[in-house]
Structures are given as structure tokens and as C-alpha cells.
Amino acid sequence: MNSGTISSLAGLAIVWGSFAAGVHADDLEPIQVGQPQRLEVFPPAIKLNGPRRQSQIGVTGIYADGSVQDLTRAVEFAPSDQKVFKLEGTLVKPIADGTTELILSAGGQAAKVPVEVTGMGQPQAVSFEYDTLAALNVWGSMD
């Protein structure tokens, strides 16, 4: 992993931790985007296999002085084909099989993320890790 990827992951962890702690996006300080030299997107490509799969997007700005900043909340997102997937905030959710791109822009920079959706017509097997375990955790916390 390179330092940009680590920075992206750290930024996502901080933002996710803030939301998990009950902090709403409107309560956070505005992001001063400035003029990044480039945008780094995590994940760099999205492959969703089936209707229950989804992917969270994180974006880091890389600046001329070597600094990095989490720009996820400040980026403008635009799917190139709205028939393949939909965006809910920074969450990518599948709609139909197909291949397209997610276009992101901030501070005069742009990035493209390939998005591939498959298996939308196939039955999805129940996964112990993602389905049953999650249901047991919710059920167990309803004391």
C-alpha cells in the first residue's frame, strides 16, 4: 500500500468514526478544497456482484506541498450511466447489469472510477458472514 492509500483509509476511518459516534455531516467543519494536484479514489474500481452488494467511496486530495486531505464530503459525483447504479451519498448501489464510470470532481481536478455490475438477475445465496451474523447481532442487542 502506498502512503496515499493509507491516507485515504485513515480519512475514511475518521469520517466513519464521526458518523458512528452520532456526529452528523452538517455538524462538521466545511472542507477547504483548494487546488489539489490530483484526486485519489478508494476503491479505484468498483465491481458489484448482485443486488445486495454496495461500495463506499472515499476521495483524497493530493496537494503540491505533499499534504493530503480527505475530500469525500466535498466531491461532486456524477454517474456516466444512471441505469447501471445509483448513488446514495457516497454509497454506490447496483440497479442493472452493465459497465460504466463514476466521475468525481473537486478543486478543478477530476477522476473516473470504472463501475461494473453483474448478477442482478441471479438469486443471491444467504451468506452467514453478511446476512445471518448481522441478523444475530441485531437480534442479540434487542434485550
Side-chain angles (χ1 to χ4, degrees):
M1 250 189 245
N2 64 33
S3 62
T5 301
I6 293 169
S7 298
S8 295
L9 292 174
L12 283 174
I14 291 168
V15 171
W16 181 254
S18 298
F19 289 115
V23 175
H24 191 270
D26 294 338
D27 298 332
L28 300 174
E29 292 286 325
I31 295 174
Q32 302 299 322
V33 175
Q35 294 184 318
Q37 282 193 315
R38 73 183 194 325
L39 301 177
E40 186 172 285
V41 183
F42 184 81
I46 299 172
K47 292 185 179 186
L48 304 174
N49 184 16
R52 293 188 285 176
R53 298 296 179 236
Q54 54 190 15
S55 183
Q56 184 78 39
I57 297 288
V59 182
T60 300
I62 313 295
Y63 294 84
D65 65 359
S67 63
V68 296
Q69 178 177 217
D70 180 9
L71 299 178
T72 305
R73 292 185 295 124
V75 170
E76 293 181 25
F77 296 92
S80 60
D81 183 351
Q82 296 181 352
K83 295 176 185 171
V84 176
F85 70 93
K86 65 181 176 180
L87 281 169
E88 291 182 7
T90 58
L91 196 61
V92 177
K93 294 186 172 188
I95 295 175
D97 287 348
T99 303
T100 186
E101 292 179 321
L102 173 60
I103 302 165
L104 308 96
S105 61
Q109 296 296 323
K112 294 180 180 181
V113 176
V115 178
E116 180 182 357
V117 175
T118 58
M120 291 300 287
Q122 302 297 320
Q124 298 292 302
V126 174
S127 161
F128 179 78
E129 183 178 358
Y130 294 110
D131 300 322
T132 308
L133 193 57
L136 290 174
N137 283 335
V138 171
W139 180 71
S141 67
M142 300 176 75
D143 296 337

